[in-house]
Amino acid sequence: MFENLSEKLERSFKLLKGQGKITEINVAETLKDIRRALLDADVNFKTAKTFTETVKEKAMGQNVLTAVKPEQMMVKIVHDELTQLMGGATTDINIKGSPAVILIAGLQGSGKTTFTGKLANHLKSKRSKNVLLVAGDVYRPAAINQLQVLGQQIGVPVYTEEGSKDPVKIAKDAIKEAKQKGYDLVIVDTAGRLAVDEEMMNEIAAIKDAVKPDEILFVVDSMTGQDAVNTAKEFNDRLNFDGVVLTKLDGDTRGGAALSIRSVVNKPIKFVGTGEKMDALDVFHPSRMADRILGMGDIVSLVERAQEQFDAEEAQKLQRKIAKNQFSFNDFLSQIQQIKKMGSLKDLAGMIPGMGKAIKNMDLDDDAFKEVEAIIYSMTPQERETPEIINGSRRKRIAAGSGTTIQEVNRLIKQFEDTRKVMKMMSQGKNLSRMMANMPMGKR
Amino acid sequence: MGLFGSFTRAKKEKLDEGLAKTKESVIQKLTRVVVGKSKVDDDVLDELEEVLISSDVGVDTTIKIIERIEKRVARDKFINAQELDKILKEEIRALLAENAASENSDFDLPEGKTPYVIMVVGVNGVGKTTTIGKLAHKFKSAGKSVMLGAGDTFRAAAIDQLEIWAQRVNVPIVKQKMGSDPASVAFDTLSSAKAEGVDVVIIDTAGRLHNKVNLMNELSKVKRVMQKVVPDAPHEVLLVLDGSTGQNAFEQARQFTLATDVNALAITKLDGTAKGGVVIGVSDQFKVPVKYIGIGEGIDDLQPFNRDAFVDSLFGN
């Protein structure tokens, strides 16, 4: 997500490469590039200035002690500073009340309603909460329907008051209902509003007073420019919110707003939105984000996502099959399904260190597996279980059935056999990276 | 005509109101920078840089503007804040003027293009549907018959949202179910517009991030399918940009232009604290004219973009 900033910093650091030690002169050039990169990334003008000054101080101070690889030291300093700027440790949301009340606020189009749906889904499925959604956007045409449709998708009820134009009353009534019906958690969606709109800002302050939320989340579009700090500051002055939600991070924005908001209002970023689907929500991890900014990838997130989708029992069964060299096309297919469940290929690849830059302009199709699947689906059950029987005429039939060519079928079978071999080796203790190199998706 | 071209007094006031926040900060800062100075020194340029960067003009464009001002000052010798302000305005206006912006302020339509097809594209949450509602109202008020096509078949309740706008403005809308093929909706809309002799067709599309290849391909397909009904459609591909968006606006302009040959821009939400500096930057680096600006949620809060009025309002008088 921050490829561009990473690239720029990489280039800055290359300038330092090959120099014996950090001096005023060589650090000045790098700092200028870092500052420029931050500004290009929409980091607030003042934040960028302060940031580069701090980095400079640290760099010059360290230089006296050590004179090892200056660019490595700069990476570390910049990384540490970024992490600190974005909030140090991870902060959870407060959902202790009964019912706990979460209030969502933000500008028009920042993604409040979509986030509200995602948060409800997250709290329902991962924290086993009994959630009630409240449709408090009585202004935008069809905003209430939008929340209702999302509620239906995730199986969470939505409280609405037909025809009412009073979001304060709606919110109060919803909480009454939640108490009566025993909901653990109420999430109140609100209309988008501009910080300069006095009337609307009074309204949300009134909603806050009426429902006494345990958690107020400010939702902001990660593509926001220099204005992010002004808006965040205004909302914070009025609501004293508890955390920030950064949306649309699956775009290619450099997301500098994340840095500035954190430094200006001193509130943690708690969630990031990474897609339009209801499960495209991640908890914000400042240090991982800093890694990401610096192009170090996000291996931890990748591992967690893999774990979530991974069926332990299934895996054991598979392992036994591999050991006996019985890995079949059916297993292969279910592996593909699992990978697909983990998210879009581009997202996943972006988390691997060093890959961000490599795939930036690549057309990494989410349908990459389509042909492979088509070929396998065109095989008979027997062929899938015992691939050895697939002879020339069977290959011809499979190619015709899947709308591919014999060459493509041959290639897949060859790759499958290679994979099988490597898996067998792996099950006897060989390493994983060789298997990865033989995966069919790498060869498209 | 005066400085504001076709802007009426009321329109000008509305724009001023929306941009008031910007005006104050820029003129105040400029005054502070040049007070007691007789020439442009590094301090002045630093402050100028801050003013421009903080308005989302972007580093490249800011450098360009500053270089132009330095050249001008070396030639003309500037003395006070008023003069610096005047030079700054002139230089920015010049950047905007380098576009062949068609200033279509009367919502007139070119001859021989009936129906005139406008396809509206942009990332999520920039205000496409609202812009379409306001645009339909403008065309209708100008005596044109309008038809809307509910091409955002993806986002929950997007069709309902456009339908409410269609009712408000009292224009017909062509729609299918949520999840249906947007290209098919566009096809239906154009077919019935053609049959009924409608003047303007506005096609909504789902918000999409410009780095999603499949979704961008889908847009190209919608465009191609339209051409089966009206061979030179869409006549206008309007990219809607959120006025508070930062430098990512450039990438949006680039990718949407690649997929759909964007030939007009609309900048929304300029009634907030956002500076709208992105207009200058995008105009400078992309030779696509800014056609409309959105300055509120009301049905009348859409104006044709007028660069003179815009620059004047941006920096005050």
Side-chain angles (χ1 to χ4, degrees):
Chain A
M1 56 182 81
F2 286 120
E3 288 94 354
N4 294 319
L5 180 52
S6 316
E7 271 169 39
K8 288 217 170 77
L9 288 184
E10 239 170 68
R11 197 153 26 87
S12 300
F13 294 137
K14 273 195 192 122
L15 284 175
L16 272 178
K17 231 168 221 171
Q19 309 217 16
K21 57 182 178 182
I22 297 175
T23 66
E24 278 275 358
I25 300 158
N26 62 20
V27 89
E29 200 51 39
T30 309
L31 287 173
K32 217 171 126 190
D33 275 351
I34 292 175
R35 182 167 161 275
R36 163 92 202 245
L38 293 172
L39 290 179
D40 280 345
D42 293 319
V43 172
N44 177 260
F45 187 85
K46 291 199 179 75
T47 311
K49 212 167 172 174
T50 323
F51 181 80
T52 39
E53 268 156 26
T54 318
V55 167
K56 184 183 170 187
E57 259 170 50
K58 300 244 158 117
M60 300 315 284
Q62 298 236 343
N63 187 35
V64 187
L65 298 170
T66 50
V68 292
K69 294 200 181 158
E71 83 272 13
Q72 284 178 353
M73 207 151 74
M74 287 298 283
V75 172
K76 188 181 181 309
I77 295 165
V78 173
H79 173 260
D80 289 353
E81 282 307 307
L82 279 177
T83 309
Q84 208 186 348
L85 195 65
M86 286 186 298
T90 310
T91 328
D92 196 11
I93 53 168
N94 177 17
I95 44 169
K96 289 204 183 75
S98 64
V101 179
I102 303 176
L103 180 64
I104 311 293
L107 297 185
Q108 288 93 342
S110 53
K112 285 176 300 304
T113 305
T114 305
F115 168 72
T116 302
K118 288 182 191 175
L119 182 64
N121 186 41
H122 170 85
L123 292 170
K124 182 189 171 207
S125 61
K126 304 224 168 116
R127 307 257 191 116
S128 314
K129 295 288 175 191
N130 194 3
V131 184
L132 178 67
L133 288 172
V134 183
D137 181 356
V138 297
Y139 305 101
R140 206 198 66 204
I144 294 171
N145 307 23
Q146 187 184 349
L147 194 65
Q148 280 171 328
V149 172
L150 295 179
Q152 223 162 42
Q153 274 174 23
I154 57 173
V156 170
V158 180
Y159 183 87
T160 60
E161 283 182 15
E162 200 64 45
S164 168
K165 289 283 169 210
D166 183 356
V168 181
K169 183 177 175 291
I170 295 174
K172 266 205 267 188
D173 292 351
I175 287 165
K176 228 181 278 166
E177 166 138 330
K179 276 182 185 155
Q180 273 171 12
K181 296 194 176 166
Y183 288 99
D184 312 322
L185 217 145
V186 181
I187 307 177
V188 184
D189 185 23
T190 63
R193 62 201 74 225
L194 291 165
V196 286
D197 190 335
E198 200 50 37
E199 208 179 305
M200 290 294 282
M201 290 308 280
N202 286 338
E203 182 200 271
I204 194 143
I207 298 176
K208 181 192 169 181
D209 289 343
V211 303
K212 310 234 168 359
D214 301 274
E215 179 85 18
I216 302 175
L217 294 173
F218 173 63
V219 180
V220 63
D221 184 330
S222 59
M223 293 180 274
T224 311
Q226 297 284 325
D227 191 49
V229 286
N230 302 331
T231 308
K233 200 171 171 304
E234 286 290 326
F235 272 86
N236 194 42
D237 287 351
R238 297 299 290 264
L239 297 175
N240 188 23
F241 56 72
D242 302 287
V244 178
V245 178
L246 213 54
T247 59
K248 306 178 203 171
L249 264 176
D250 49 329
D252 58 1
T253 177
R254 288 155 270 185
L259 304 181
S260 352
I261 291 174
R262 182 64 173 93
S263 73
V264 170
V265 299
N266 198 30
K267 293 289 164 68
I269 297 164
K270 295 192 171 176
F271 292 101
V272 297
T274 56
E276 292 185 85
K277 291 194 183 126
M278 281 295 107
D279 57 0
L281 181 74
D282 275 332
V283 173
F284 182 77
H285 296 278
S287 71
R288 286 188 212 169
M289 191 67 97
D291 283 349
R292 206 159 178 154
I293 291 169
L294 293 172
M296 294 175 189
D298 192 1
I299 276 293
V300 192
S301 287
L302 181 64
V303 171
E304 273 184 7
R305 264 207 232 180
Q307 279 171 339
E308 252 169 51
Q309 301 298 345
F310 201 70
D311 186 331
E313 210 174 307
E314 193 70 14
Q316 260 185 357
K317 230 165 74 190
L318 189 65
Q319 211 162 12
R320 279 197 299 271
K321 286 183 97 169
I322 292 171
K324 288 188 206 151
N325 205 18
Q326 285 173 350
F327 184 71
S328 71
F329 270 113
N330 280 329
D331 302 315
F332 195 66
L333 202 58
S334 83
Q335 292 284 292
I336 292 176
Q337 313 296 356
Q338 280 202 359
I339 291 172
K340 278 166 78 178
K341 266 198 283 179
M342 281 164 64
S344 95
L345 272 184
K346 200 159 181 167
D347 270 8
L348 292 176
M351 290 182 186
I352 300 168
M355 282 291 273
K357 200 168 134 187
I359 60 159
K360 192 183 142 200
N361 295 314
M362 223 163 97
D363 182 0
L364 203 52
D365 206 334
D366 273 341
D367 288 340
F369 294 120
K370 223 163 145 182
E371 274 173 28
V372 174
E373 284 175 323
I375 293 174
I376 299 176
Y377 284 135
S378 300
M379 295 176 184
T380 65
Q382 201 197 357
E383 284 166 353
R384 291 187 212 179
E385 281 304 322
T386 41
E388 293 78 13
I389 64 165
I390 307 178
N391 57 21
S393 77
R394 284 177 191 262
R395 284 176 202 224
K396 208 165 143 191
R397 193 205 75 240
I398 293 167
S402 59
T404 57
T405 61
I406 294 190
Q407 286 76 18
E408 278 169 294
V409 176
N410 285 343
R411 200 185 317 140
L412 179 69
I413 292 172
K414 173 86 174 52
Q415 280 164 359
F416 173 79
E417 280 164 0
D418 289 348
T419 307
R420 214 178 184 188
K421 260 184 244 159
V422 178
M423 281 185 150
K424 180 130 172 52
M425 280 198 302
M426 203 183 66
S427 73
Q428 294 159 351
K430 298 282 175 358
N431 84 39
L432 183 79
S433 61
R434 292 186 52 188
M435 180 189 104
M436 297 292 274
N438 281 290
M439 286 296 274
M441 60 173 160
K443 294 189 181 172
R444 262 178 74 94
Chain B
M1 279 291 263
L3 272 171
F4 305 116
S6 62
F7 273 56
T8 63
R9 197 171 171 76
K11 276 181 182 168
K12 171 73 172 62
E13 272 165 13
K14 181 87 189 175
L15 183 60
D16 272 351
E17 217 175 277
L19 294 166
K21 206 91 178 179
T22 316
K23 181 166 73 183
E24 269 165 27
S25 63
V26 173
I27 193 76
Q28 276 169 357
K29 275 180 183 162
L30 272 183
T31 309
R32 180 162 46 81
V33 182
V34 293
V35 149
K37 284 176 184 161
S38 59
K39 63 176 184 58
V40 177
D41 57 18
D42 284 351
D43 285 351
V44 174
L45 292 180
D46 278 355
E47 282 294 334
L48 206 52
E49 186 197 59
E50 175 168 357
V51 168
L52 293 171
I53 296 277
S54 302
S55 307
D56 285 321
V57 171
V59 178
D60 287 333
T61 315
T62 296
I63 291 172
K64 195 164 175 177
I65 293 171
I66 286 182
E67 277 170 359
R68 288 169 81 137
I69 286 176
E70 277 182 309
K71 262 190 220 153
R72 273 286 291 277
V73 168
R75 202 176 65 218
D76 300 352
K77 304 281 179 227
F78 107 104
I79 305 160
N80 57 32
Q82 273 71 39
E83 283 183 25
L84 178 59
D85 179 50
K86 187 167 155 272
I87 292 176
L88 183 61
K89 270 196 243 171
E90 277 173 16
E91 290 301 334
I92 291 175
R93 208 176 281 143
L95 284 178
L96 285 162
E98 280 166 11
N99 290 321
S102 61
E103 295 189 12
N104 163 28
S105 47
D106 301 328
F107 294 91
D108 275 339
L109 296 169
E111 291 285 315
K113 287 177 179 167
T114 309
Y116 184 75
V117 180
I118 304 173
M119 176 181 176
V120 180
V121 299
V123 299
N124 317 66
V126 289
K128 282 179 296 302
T129 308
T130 308
T131 301
I132 291 170
K134 295 191 268 190
L135 207 50
H137 174 67
K138 291 283 180 189
F139 278 114
K140 183 129 195 272
S141 307
K144 309 283 188 287
S145 58
V146 183
M147 184 179 280
L148 303 182
D152 181 355
T153 57
F154 181 78
R155 205 204 65 205
I159 299 168
D160 303 344
Q161 189 183 346
L162 192 68
E163 204 168 8
I164 293 170
W165 272 107
Q167 282 162 10
R168 256 184 212 176
V169 183
N170 193 20
V171 295
I173 178 172
V174 174
K175 55 167 188 169
Q176 291 180 12
K177 277 203 300 279
M178 185 176 163
S180 55
D181 179 6
S184 144
V185 176
F187 184 91
D188 285 359
T189 314
L190 262 61
S191 307
S192 79
K194 205 174 164 187
E196 291 172 32
V198 167
D199 297 324
V200 189
V201 178
I202 313 176
I203 304 286
D204 194 10
T205 62
R208 63 201 73 219
L209 291 169
H210 48 283
N211 59 337
K212 310 248 159 134
V213 178
N214 290 345
L215 294 177
M216 295 308 280
N217 288 344
E218 181 189 85
L219 271 191
S220 312
K221 179 187 165 194
V222 172
K223 206 183 142 189
R224 276 197 312 276
V225 170
M226 281 184 196
Q227 289 163 351
K228 289 185 182 167
V229 190
V230 179
D232 55 347
H235 306 94
E236 188 170 317
V237 179
L238 182 67
L239 172 65
V240 182
L241 295 172
D242 185 326
S244 62
T245 301
Q247 301 309 299
N248 194 250
F250 290 102
E251 208 48 45
Q252 293 172 23
R254 189 168 295 132
Q255 297 304 334
F256 275 100
T257 301
L258 275 176
T260 57
D261 301 310
V262 171
N263 56 13
L265 299 173
I267 317 286
T268 60
K269 306 182 198 172
L270 282 182
D271 48 329
T273 44
K275 313 288 193 225
V278 71
V279 177
I280 302 160
V282 172
S283 238
D284 179 39
Q285 292 191 12
F286 284 88
K287 305 303 172 190
V288 177
V290 182
K291 216 161 171 184
Y292 309 106
I293 60 171
I295 47 168
E297 290 179 285
I299 196 165
D300 283 311
D301 293 334
L302 181 88
Q303 298 179 352
F305 179 75
N306 176 313
R307 54 180 170 263
D308 285 349
F310 180 80
V311 176
D312 281 334
S313 294
L314 194 66
F315 294 104
N317 283 298

